[in-house]
mmCIF file with all atom_site columns, all heavy atoms in Angstrom:
data_model
loop_
_atom_site.group_PDB
_atom_site.id
_atom_site.type_symbol
_atom_site.label_atom_id
_atom_site.label_alt_id
_atom_site.label_comp_id
_atom_site.label_asym_id
_atom_site.label_entity_id
_atom_site.label_seq_id
_atom_site.pdbx_PDB_ins_code
_atom_site.Cartn_x
_atom_site.Cartn_y
_atom_site.Cartn_z
_atom_site.occupancy
_atom_site.B_iso_or_equiv
_atom_site.pdbx_formal_charge
_atom_site.auth_seq_id
_atom_site.auth_comp_id
_atom_site.auth_asym_id
_atom_site.auth_atom_id
_atom_site.pdbx_PDB_model_num
ATOM 1   N N   . GLN U 1 46  ? 110.151 105.676 111.553 1.00 96.00 ? 77  GLN U N   1
ATOM 2   C CA  . GLN U 1 46  ? 110.321 106.782 110.616 1.00 96.00 ? 77  GLN U CA  1
ATOM 3   C C   . GLN U 1 46  ? 111.398 107.716 111.174 1.00 96.00 ? 77  GLN U C   1
ATOM 4   O O   . GLN U 1 46  ? 111.562 107.830 112.395 1.00 96.00 ? 77  GLN U O   1
ATOM 5   C CB  . GLN U 1 46  ? 109.003 107.537 110.446 1.00 96.00 ? 77  GLN U CB  1
ATOM 6   C CG  . GLN U 1 46  ? 107.924 106.672 109.809 1.00 96.00 ? 77  GLN U CG  1
ATOM 7   C CD  . GLN U 1 46  ? 106.667 107.448 109.504 1.00 96.00 ? 77  GLN U CD  1
ATOM 8   O OE1 . GLN U 1 46  ? 106.715 108.641 109.198 1.00 96.00 ? 77  GLN U OE1 1
ATOM 9   N NE2 . GLN U 1 46  ? 105.538 106.776 109.568 1.00 96.00 ? 77  GLN U NE2 1
ATOM 10  N N   . GLU U 1 68  ? 91.256  112.846 123.200 1.00 97.00 ? 99  GLU U N   1
ATOM 11  C CA  . GLU U 1 68  ? 89.827  112.592 123.397 1.00 97.00 ? 99  GLU U CA  1
ATOM 12  C C   . GLU U 1 68  ? 89.494  111.107 123.441 1.00 97.00 ? 99  GLU U C   1
ATOM 13  O O   . GLU U 1 68  ? 88.326  110.742 123.555 1.00 97.00 ? 99  GLU U O   1
ATOM 14  C CB  . GLU U 1 68  ? 89.031  113.251 122.259 1.00 97.00 ? 99  GLU U CB  1
ATOM 15  C CG  . GLU U 1 68  ? 89.316  114.734 122.044 1.00 97.00 ? 99  GLU U CG  1
ATOM 16  C CD  . GLU U 1 68  ? 89.052  115.543 123.297 1.00 97.00 ? 99  GLU U CD  1
ATOM 17  O OE1 . GLU U 1 68  ? 88.039  115.258 123.969 1.00 97.00 ? 99  GLU U OE1 1
ATOM 18  O OE2 . GLU U 1 68  ? 89.874  116.419 123.618 1.00 97.00 ? 99  GLU U OE2 1
ATOM 19  N N   . LYS U 1 70  ? 89.023  107.176 124.524 1.00 97.00 ? 101 LYS U N   1
ATOM 20  C CA  . LYS U 1 70  ? 88.660  106.450 125.748 1.00 97.00 ? 101 LYS U CA  1
ATOM 21  C C   . LYS U 1 70  ? 89.583  105.263 125.976 1.00 97.00 ? 101 LYS U C   1
ATOM 22  O O   . LYS U 1 70  ? 89.820  104.856 127.094 1.00 97.00 ? 101 LYS U O   1
ATOM 23  C CB  . LYS U 1 70  ? 87.227  105.902 125.616 1.00 97.00 ? 101 LYS U CB  1
ATOM 24  C CG  . LYS U 1 70  ? 86.141  106.938 125.753 1.00 97.00 ? 101 LYS U CG  1
ATOM 25  C CD  . LYS U 1 70  ? 84.782  106.309 126.040 1.00 97.00 ? 101 LYS U CD  1
ATOM 26  C CE  . LYS U 1 70  ? 84.242  105.487 124.896 1.00 97.00 ? 101 LYS U CE  1
ATOM 27  N NZ  . LYS U 1 70  ? 83.474  106.243 123.898 1.00 97.00 ? 101 LYS U NZ  1
ATOM 28  N N   . ASP U 1 110 ? 89.997  103.610 120.150 1.00 98.00 ? 141 ASP U N   1
ATOM 29  C CA  . ASP U 1 110 ? 88.533  103.583 120.290 1.00 98.00 ? 141 ASP U CA  1
ATOM 30  C C   . ASP U 1 110 ? 87.881  102.695 119.239 1.00 98.00 ? 141 ASP U C   1
ATOM 31  O O   . ASP U 1 110 ? 86.872  103.064 118.627 1.00 98.00 ? 141 ASP U O   1
ATOM 32  C CB  . ASP U 1 110 ? 87.966  105.015 120.246 1.00 98.00 ? 141 ASP U CB  1
ATOM 33  C CG  . ASP U 1 110 ? 88.216  105.755 121.562 1.00 98.00 ? 141 ASP U CG  1
ATOM 34  O OD1 . ASP U 1 110 ? 88.555  105.099 122.564 1.00 98.00 ? 141 ASP U OD1 1
ATOM 35  O OD2 . ASP U 1 110 ? 88.074  106.982 121.575 1.00 98.00 ? 141 ASP U OD2 1
ATOM 36  N N   . GLU U 1 151 ? 121.861 96.315  93.451  1.00 98.00 ? 182 GLU U N   1
ATOM 37  C CA  . GLU U 1 151 ? 120.720 97.223  93.316  1.00 98.00 ? 182 GLU U CA  1
ATOM 38  C C   . GLU U 1 151 ? 119.433 96.431  93.481  1.00 98.00 ? 182 GLU U C   1
ATOM 39  O O   . GLU U 1 151 ? 119.355 95.251  93.143  1.00 98.00 ? 182 GLU U O   1
ATOM 40  C CB  . GLU U 1 151 ? 120.697 97.859  91.928  1.00 98.00 ? 182 GLU U CB  1
ATOM 41  C CG  . GLU U 1 151 ? 121.790 98.871  91.697  1.00 98.00 ? 182 GLU U CG  1
ATOM 42  C CD  . GLU U 1 151 ? 121.762 99.412  90.279  1.00 98.00 ? 182 GLU U CD  1
ATOM 43  O OE1 . GLU U 1 151 ? 121.364 98.671  89.354  1.00 98.00 ? 182 GLU U OE1 1
ATOM 44  O OE2 . GLU U 1 151 ? 122.123 100.569 90.106  1.00 98.00 ? 182 GLU U OE2 1
ATOM 45  N N   . LEU U 1 152 ? 118.406 97.115  93.974  1.00 98.00 ? 183 LEU U N   1
ATOM 46  C CA  . LEU U 1 152 ? 117.070 96.549  94.007  1.00 98.00 ? 183 LEU U CA  1
ATOM 47  C C   . LEU U 1 152 ? 116.271 97.337  92.980  1.00 98.00 ? 183 LEU U C   1
ATOM 48  O O   . LEU U 1 152 ? 116.047 98.528  93.150  1.00 98.00 ? 183 LEU U O   1
ATOM 49  C CB  . LEU U 1 152 ? 116.478 96.704  95.410  1.00 98.00 ? 183 LEU U CB  1
ATOM 50  C CG  . LEU U 1 152 ? 115.221 95.909  95.705  1.00 98.00 ? 183 LEU U CG  1
ATOM 51  C CD1 . LEU U 1 152 ? 115.437 94.416  95.510  1.00 98.00 ? 183 LEU U CD1 1
ATOM 52  C CD2 . LEU U 1 152 ? 114.753 96.187  97.126  1.00 98.00 ? 183 LEU U CD2 1
ATOM 53  N N   . ARG U 1 153 ? 115.893 96.664  91.897  1.00 98.00 ? 184 ARG U N   1
ATOM 54  C CA  . ARG U 1 153 ? 115.303 97.371  90.769  1.00 98.00 ? 184 ARG U CA  1
ATOM 55  C C   . ARG U 1 153 ? 113.813 97.100  90.678  1.00 98.00 ? 184 ARG U C   1
ATOM 56  O O   . ARG U 1 153 ? 113.392 95.944  90.698  1.00 98.00 ? 184 ARG U O   1
ATOM 57  C CB  . ARG U 1 153 ? 115.958 96.904  89.468  1.00 98.00 ? 184 ARG U CB  1
ATOM 58  C CG  . ARG U 1 153 ? 117.455 97.018  89.463  1.00 98.00 ? 184 ARG U CG  1
ATOM 59  C CD  . ARG U 1 153 ? 117.992 96.523  88.141  1.00 98.00 ? 184 ARG U CD  1
ATOM 60  N NE  . ARG U 1 153 ? 119.441 96.672  88.051  1.00 98.00 ? 184 ARG U NE  1
ATOM 61  C CZ  . ARG U 1 153 ? 120.124 96.551  86.919  1.00 98.00 ? 184 ARG U CZ  1
ATOM 62  N NH1 . ARG U 1 153 ? 119.465 96.274  85.788  1.00 98.00 ? 184 ARG U NH1 1
ATOM 63  N NH2 . ARG U 1 153 ? 121.425 96.705  86.899  1.00 98.00 ? 184 ARG U NH2 1
ATOM 64  N N   . GLU U 1 154 ? 113.044 98.157  90.541  1.00 98.00 ? 185 GLU U N   1
ATOM 65  C CA  . GLU U 1 154 ? 111.612 98.014  90.302  1.00 98.00 ? 185 GLU U CA  1
ATOM 66  C C   . GLU U 1 154 ? 111.404 97.985  88.799  1.00 98.00 ? 185 GLU U C   1
ATOM 67  O O   . GLU U 1 154 ? 111.797 98.916  88.100  1.00 98.00 ? 185 GLU U O   1
ATOM 68  C CB  . GLU U 1 154 ? 110.878 99.197  90.927  1.00 98.00 ? 185 GLU U CB  1
ATOM 69  C CG  . GLU U 1 154 ? 109.380 99.136  90.744  1.00 98.00 ? 185 GLU U CG  1
ATOM 70  C CD  . GLU U 1 154 ? 108.695 100.422 91.187  1.00 98.00 ? 185 GLU U CD  1
ATOM 71  O OE1 . GLU U 1 154 ? 109.114 101.031 92.185  1.00 98.00 ? 185 GLU U OE1 1
ATOM 72  O OE2 . GLU U 1 154 ? 107.731 100.838 90.501  1.00 98.00 ? 185 GLU U OE2 1
ATOM 73  N N   . ASP U 1 177 ? 126.713 95.782  86.625  1.00 94.00 ? 208 ASP U N   1
ATOM 74  C CA  . ASP U 1 177 ? 126.833 96.696  85.490  1.00 94.00 ? 208 ASP U CA  1
ATOM 75  C C   . ASP U 1 177 ? 128.271 96.945  85.058  1.00 94.00 ? 208 ASP U C   1
ATOM 76  O O   . ASP U 1 177 ? 128.516 97.763  84.165  1.00 94.00 ? 208 ASP U O   1
ATOM 77  C CB  . ASP U 1 177 ? 126.154 98.033  85.818  1.00 94.00 ? 208 ASP U CB  1
ATOM 78  C CG  . ASP U 1 177 ? 124.659 97.999  85.495  1.00 94.00 ? 208 ASP U CG  1
ATOM 79  O OD1 . ASP U 1 177 ? 124.270 97.181  84.650  1.00 94.00 ? 208 ASP U OD1 1
ATOM 80  O OD2 . ASP U 1 177 ? 123.915 98.787  86.087  1.00 94.00 ? 208 ASP U OD2 1
ATOM 81  N N   . LYS U 1 178 ? 129.206 96.271  85.709  1.00 93.00 ? 209 LYS U N   1
ATOM 82  C CA  . LYS U 1 178 ? 130.610 96.509  85.373  1.00 93.00 ? 209 LYS U CA  1
ATOM 83  C C   . LYS U 1 178 ? 131.091 95.596  84.244  1.00 93.00 ? 209 LYS U C   1
ATOM 84  O O   . LYS U 1 178 ? 131.733 96.044  83.313  1.00 93.00 ? 209 LYS U O   1
ATOM 85  C CB  . LYS U 1 178 ? 131.502 96.280  86.611  1.00 93.00 ? 209 LYS U CB  1
ATOM 86  C CG  . LYS U 1 178 ? 131.279 97.283  87.730  1.00 93.00 ? 209 LYS U CG  1
ATOM 87  C CD  . LYS U 1 178 ? 131.860 98.646  87.394  1.00 93.00 ? 209 LYS U CD  1
ATOM 88  C CE  . LYS U 1 178 ? 131.650 99.605  88.570  1.00 93.00 ? 209 LYS U CE  1
ATOM 89  N NZ  . LYS U 1 178 ? 131.928 101.004 88.188  1.00 93.00 ? 209 LYS U NZ  1
ATOM 90  N N   . ALA U 1 264 ? 115.106 87.520  78.971  1.00 97.00 ? 295 ALA U N   1
ATOM 91  C CA  . ALA U 1 264 ? 115.304 88.427  77.832  1.00 97.00 ? 295 ALA U CA  1
ATOM 92  C C   . ALA U 1 264 ? 115.928 89.746  78.258  1.00 97.00 ? 295 ALA U C   1
ATOM 93  O O   . ALA U 1 264 ? 116.490 90.462  77.427  1.00 97.00 ? 295 ALA U O   1
ATOM 94  C CB  . ALA U 1 264 ? 113.966 88.686  77.139  1.00 97.00 ? 295 ALA U CB  1
ATOM 95  N N   . TYR U 1 266 ? 117.719 90.364  81.560  1.00 98.00 ? 297 TYR U N   1
ATOM 96  C CA  . TYR U 1 266 ? 118.814 90.346  82.530  1.00 98.00 ? 297 TYR U CA  1
ATOM 97  C C   . TYR U 1 266 ? 119.812 89.285  82.117  1.00 98.00 ? 297 TYR U C   1
ATOM 98  O O   . TYR U 1 266 ? 119.448 88.311  81.471  1.00 98.00 ? 297 TYR U O   1
ATOM 99  C CB  . TYR U 1 266 ? 118.278 90.092  83.953  1.00 98.00 ? 297 TYR U CB  1
ATOM 100 C CG  . TYR U 1 266 ? 117.368 91.201  84.376  1.00 98.00 ? 297 TYR U CG  1
ATOM 101 C CD1 . TYR U 1 266 ? 116.015 91.166  84.042  1.00 98.00 ? 297 TYR U CD1 1
ATOM 102 C CD2 . TYR U 1 266 ? 117.865 92.330  85.034  1.00 98.00 ? 297 TYR U CD2 1
ATOM 103 C CE1 . TYR U 1 266 ? 115.175 92.225  84.367  1.00 98.00 ? 297 TYR U CE1 1
ATOM 104 C CE2 . TYR U 1 266 ? 117.035 93.383  85.371  1.00 98.00 ? 297 TYR U CE2 1
ATOM 105 C CZ  . TYR U 1 266 ? 115.693 93.327  85.032  1.00 98.00 ? 297 TYR U CZ  1
ATOM 106 O OH  . TYR U 1 266 ? 114.875 94.378  85.339  1.00 98.00 ? 297 TYR U OH  1
ATOM 107 N N   . GLU A 1 68  ? 83.970  102.924 119.169 1.00 97.00 ? 286 GLU A N   1
ATOM 108 C CA  . GLU A 1 68  ? 83.998  103.600 120.466 1.00 97.00 ? 286 GLU A CA  1
ATOM 109 C C   . GLU A 1 68  ? 84.389  105.071 120.366 1.00 97.00 ? 286 GLU A C   1
ATOM 110 O O   . GLU A 1 68  ? 84.506  105.748 121.384 1.00 97.00 ? 286 GLU A O   1
ATOM 111 C CB  . GLU A 1 68  ? 84.998  102.886 121.393 1.00 97.00 ? 286 GLU A CB  1
ATOM 112 C CG  . GLU A 1 68  ? 84.777  101.385 121.543 1.00 97.00 ? 286 GLU A CG  1
ATOM 113 C CD  . GLU A 1 68  ? 83.386  101.073 122.053 1.00 97.00 ? 286 GLU A CD  1
ATOM 114 O OE1 . GLU A 1 68  ? 82.917  101.780 122.962 1.00 97.00 ? 286 GLU A OE1 1
ATOM 115 O OE2 . GLU A 1 68  ? 82.758  100.132 121.505 1.00 97.00 ? 286 GLU A OE2 1
ATOM 116 N N   . LYS A 1 70  ? 84.466  109.128 119.704 1.00 97.00 ? 288 LYS A N   1
ATOM 117 C CA  . LYS A 1 70  ? 83.534  110.253 119.869 1.00 97.00 ? 288 LYS A CA  1
ATOM 118 C C   . LYS A 1 70  ? 83.538  111.154 118.650 1.00 97.00 ? 288 LYS A C   1
ATOM 119 O O   . LYS A 1 70  ? 82.547  111.783 118.331 1.00 97.00 ? 288 LYS A O   1
ATOM 120 C CB  . LYS A 1 70  ? 83.968  111.104 121.083 1.00 97.00 ? 288 LYS A CB  1
ATOM 121 C CG  . LYS A 1 70  ? 83.664  110.475 122.424 1.00 97.00 ? 288 LYS A CG  1
ATOM 122 C CD  . LYS A 1 70  ? 83.698  111.503 123.548 1.00 97.00 ? 288 LYS A CD  1
ATOM 123 C CE  . LYS A 1 70  ? 85.086  112.051 123.806 1.00 97.00 ? 288 LYS A CE  1
ATOM 124 N NZ  . LYS A 1 70  ? 85.873  111.261 124.757 1.00 97.00 ? 288 LYS A NZ  1
ATOM 125 N N   . ASP A 1 110 ? 89.520  110.881 117.640 1.00 98.00 ? 328 ASP A N   1
ATOM 126 C CA  . ASP A 1 110 ? 89.540  111.332 119.040 1.00 98.00 ? 328 ASP A CA  1
ATOM 127 C C   . ASP A 1 110 ? 90.865  112.020 119.387 1.00 98.00 ? 328 ASP A C   1
ATOM 128 O O   . ASP A 1 110 ? 91.452  111.768 120.449 1.00 98.00 ? 328 ASP A O   1
ATOM 129 C CB  . ASP A 1 110 ? 89.258  110.165 119.998 1.00 98.00 ? 328 ASP A CB  1
ATOM 130 C CG  . ASP A 1 110 ? 87.772  109.784 120.001 1.00 98.00 ? 328 ASP A CG  1
ATOM 131 O OD1 . ASP A 1 110 ? 86.947  110.587 119.514 1.00 98.00 ? 328 ASP A OD1 1
ATOM 132 O OD2 . ASP A 1 110 ? 87.448  108.693 120.493 1.00 98.00 ? 328 ASP A OD2 1
ATOM 133 N N   . GLU A 1 151 ? 113.764 101.298 84.450  1.00 98.00 ? 369 GLU A N   1
ATOM 134 C CA  . GLU A 1 151 ? 113.764 100.736 85.805  1.00 98.00 ? 369 GLU A CA  1
ATOM 135 C C   . GLU A 1 151 ? 113.941 101.861 86.818  1.00 98.00 ? 369 GLU A C   1
ATOM 136 O O   . GLU A 1 151 ? 114.596 102.861 86.540  1.00 98.00 ? 369 GLU A O   1
ATOM 137 C CB  . GLU A 1 151 ? 114.929 99.764  85.977  1.00 98.00 ? 369 GLU A CB  1
ATOM 138 C CG  . GLU A 1 151 ? 114.760 98.470  85.213  1.00 98.00 ? 369 GLU A CG  1
ATOM 139 C CD  . GLU A 1 151 ? 115.969 97.570  85.368  1.00 98.00 ? 369 GLU A CD  1
ATOM 140 O OE1 . GLU A 1 151 ? 117.096 98.099  85.493  1.00 98.00 ? 369 GLU A OE1 1
ATOM 141 O OE2 . GLU A 1 151 ? 115.791 96.352  85.340  1.00 98.00 ? 369 GLU A OE2 1
ATOM 142 N N   . LEU A 1 152 ? 113.396 101.639 88.006  1.00 98.00 ? 370 LEU A N   1
ATOM 143 C CA  . LEU A 1 152 ? 113.648 102.535 89.128  1.00 98.00 ? 370 LEU A CA  1
ATOM 144 C C   . LEU A 1 152 ? 114.503 101.725 90.094  1.00 98.00 ? 370 LEU A C   1
ATOM 145 O O   . LEU A 1 152 ? 114.032 100.733 90.651  1.00 98.00 ? 370 LEU A O   1
ATOM 146 C CB  . LEU A 1 152 ? 112.329 102.956 89.762  1.00 98.00 ? 370 LEU A CB  1
ATOM 147 C CG  . LEU A 1 152 ? 112.384 104.106 90.747  1.00 98.00 ? 370 LEU A CG  1
ATOM 148 C CD1 . LEU A 1 152 ? 112.945 105.365 90.105  1.00 98.00 ? 370 LEU A CD1 1
ATOM 149 C CD2 . LEU A 1 152 ? 110.991 104.378 91.303  1.00 98.00 ? 370 LEU A CD2 1
ATOM 150 N N   . ARG A 1 153 ? 115.753 102.138 90.238  1.00 98.00 ? 371 ARG A N   1
ATOM 151 C CA  . ARG A 1 153 ? 116.704 101.323 90.984  1.00 98.00 ? 371 ARG A CA  1
ATOM 152 C C   . ARG A 1 153 ? 117.020 101.949 92.329  1.00 98.00 ? 371 ARG A C   1
ATOM 153 O O   . ARG A 1 153 ? 117.335 103.137 92.395  1.00 98.00 ? 371 ARG A O   1
ATOM 154 C CB  . ARG A 1 153 ? 118.011 101.205 90.197  1.00 98.00 ? 371 ARG A CB  1
ATOM 155 C CG  . ARG A 1 153 ? 117.834 100.684 88.790  1.00 98.00 ? 371 ARG A CG  1
ATOM 156 C CD  . ARG A 1 153 ? 119.174 100.644 88.097  1.00 98.00 ? 371 ARG A CD  1
ATOM 157 N NE  . ARG A 1 153 ? 119.080 100.076 86.763  1.00 98.00 ? 371 ARG A NE  1
ATOM 158 C CZ  . ARG A 1 153 ? 120.127 99.664  86.056  1.00 98.00 ? 371 ARG A CZ  1
ATOM 159 N NH1 . ARG A 1 153 ? 121.344 99.776  86.574  1.00 98.00 ? 371 ARG A NH1 1
ATOM 160 N NH2 . ARG A 1 153 ? 119.968 99.169  84.856  1.00 98.00 ? 371 ARG A NH2 1
ATOM 161 N N   . GLU A 1 154 ? 116.944 101.143 93.360  1.00 98.00 ? 372 GLU A N   1
ATOM 162 C CA  . GLU A 1 154 ? 117.354 101.592 94.691  1.00 98.00 ? 372 GLU A CA  1
ATOM 163 C C   . GLU A 1 154 ? 118.823 101.239 94.847  1.00 98.00 ? 372 GLU A C   1
ATOM 164 O O   . GLU A 1 154 ? 119.203 100.072 94.731  1.00 98.00 ? 372 GLU A O   1
ATOM 165 C CB  . GLU A 1 154 ? 116.520 100.875 95.746  1.00 98.00 ? 372 GLU A CB  1
ATOM 166 C CG  . GLU A 1 154 ? 116.853 101.287 97.161  1.00 98.00 ? 372 GLU A CG  1
ATOM 167 C CD  . GLU A 1 154 ? 116.160 100.408 98.198  1.00 98.00 ? 372 GLU A CD  1
ATOM 168 O OE1 . GLU A 1 154 ? 115.006 100.015 97.991  1.00 98.00 ? 372 GLU A OE1 1
ATOM 169 O OE2 . GLU A 1 154 ? 116.811 100.101 99.215  1.00 98.00 ? 372 GLU A OE2 1
ATOM 170 N N   . ASP A 1 177 ? 119.936 98.515  79.511  1.00 94.00 ? 395 ASP A N   1
ATOM 171 C CA  . ASP A 1 177 ? 120.764 97.313  79.637  1.00 94.00 ? 395 ASP A CA  1
ATOM 172 C C   . ASP A 1 177 ? 120.962 96.578  78.313  1.00 94.00 ? 395 ASP A C   1
ATOM 173 O O   . ASP A 1 177 ? 121.574 95.514  78.282  1.00 94.00 ? 395 ASP A O   1
ATOM 174 C CB  . ASP A 1 177 ? 120.161 96.350  80.668  1.00 94.00 ? 395 ASP A CB  1
ATOM 175 C CG  . ASP A 1 177 ? 120.628 96.685  82.080  1.00 94.00 ? 395 ASP A CG  1
ATOM 176 O OD1 . ASP A 1 177 ? 121.700 97.312  82.210  1.00 94.00 ? 395 ASP A OD1 1
ATOM 177 O OD2 . ASP A 1 177 ? 119.918 96.346  83.032  1.00 94.00 ? 395 ASP A OD2 1
ATOM 178 N N   . LYS A 1 178 ? 120.409 97.127  77.223  1.00 92.00 ? 396 LYS A N   1
ATOM 179 C CA  . LYS A 1 178 ? 120.528 96.435  75.936  1.00 92.00 ? 396 LYS A CA  1
ATOM 180 C C   . LYS A 1 178 ? 121.802 96.831  75.199  1.00 92.00 ? 396 LYS A C   1
ATOM 181 O O   . LYS A 1 178 ? 122.517 95.972  74.691  1.00 92.00 ? 396 LYS A O   1
ATOM 182 C CB  . LYS A 1 178 ? 119.307 96.766  75.052  1.00 92.00 ? 396 LYS A CB  1
ATOM 183 C CG  . LYS A 1 178 ? 117.992 96.223  75.577  1.00 92.00 ? 396 LYS A CG  1
ATOM 184 C CD  . LYS A 1 178 ? 117.880 94.717  75.407  1.00 92.00 ? 396 LYS A CD  1
ATOM 185 C CE  . LYS A 1 178 ? 116.532 94.214  75.906  1.00 92.00 ? 396 LYS A CE  1
ATOM 186 N NZ  . LYS A 1 178 ? 116.496 92.760  76.046  1.00 92.00 ? 396 LYS A NZ  1
ATOM 187 N N   . ALA A 1 264 ? 130.668 107.048 88.101  1.00 97.00 ? 482 ALA A N   1
ATOM 188 C CA  . ALA A 1 264 ? 131.494 105.835 88.146  1.00 97.00 ? 482 ALA A CA  1
ATOM 189 C C   . ALA A 1 264 ? 130.666 104.568 87.941  1.00 97.00 ? 482 ALA A C   1
ATOM 190 O O   . ALA A 1 264 ? 131.212 103.522 87.599  1.00 97.00 ? 482 ALA A O   1
ATOM 191 C CB  . ALA A 1 264 ? 132.222 105.757 89.482  1.00 97.00 ? 482 ALA A CB  1
ATOM 192 N N   . TYR A 1 266 ? 127.168 104.467 86.465  1.00 98.00 ? 484 TYR A N   1
ATOM 193 C CA  . TYR A 1 266 ? 126.126 104.467 85.423  1.00 98.00 ? 484 TYR A CA  1
ATOM 194 C C   . TYR A 1 266 ? 126.708 105.064 84.161  1.00 98.00 ? 484 TYR A C   1
ATOM 195 O O   . TYR A 1 266 ? 127.643 105.866 84.223  1.00 98.00 ? 484 TYR A O   1
ATOM 196 C CB  . TYR A 1 266 ? 124.886 105.253 85.898  1.00 98.00 ? 484 TYR A CB  1
ATOM 197 C CG  . TYR A 1 266 ? 124.274 104.593 87.105  1.00 98.00 ? 484 TYR A CG  1
ATOM 198 C CD1 . TYR A 1 266 ? 124.736 104.895 88.383  1.00 98.00 ? 484 TYR A CD1 1
ATOM 199 C CD2 . TYR A 1 266 ? 123.295 103.612 86.969  1.00 98.00 ? 484 TYR A CD2 1
ATOM 200 C CE1 . TYR A 1 266 ? 124.226 104.249 89.500  1.00 98.00 ? 484 TYR A CE1 1
ATOM 201 C CE2 . TYR A 1 266 ? 122.783 102.957 88.076  1.00 98.00 ? 484 TYR A CE2 1
ATOM 202 C CZ  . TYR A 1 266 ? 123.250 103.275 89.338  1.00 98.00 ? 484 TYR A CZ  1
ATOM 203 O OH  . TYR A 1 266 ? 122.748 102.618 90.428  1.00 98.00 ? 484 TYR A OH  1
#
Side-chain angles (χ1 to χ4, degrees):
Chain U
Q77 296 186 32
E99 307 302 319
K101 285 197 293 273
D141 284 345
E182 289 177 329
L183 193 58
R184 306 180 177 193
E185 181 189 323
D208 274 336
K209 294 287 182 192
Y297 297 86
Chain A
E286 307 303 318
K288 285 198 292 272
D328 285 344
E369 289 177 327
L370 192 59
R371 305 178 177 195
E372 181 189 322
D395 274 336
K396 294 287 182 193
Y484 297 86

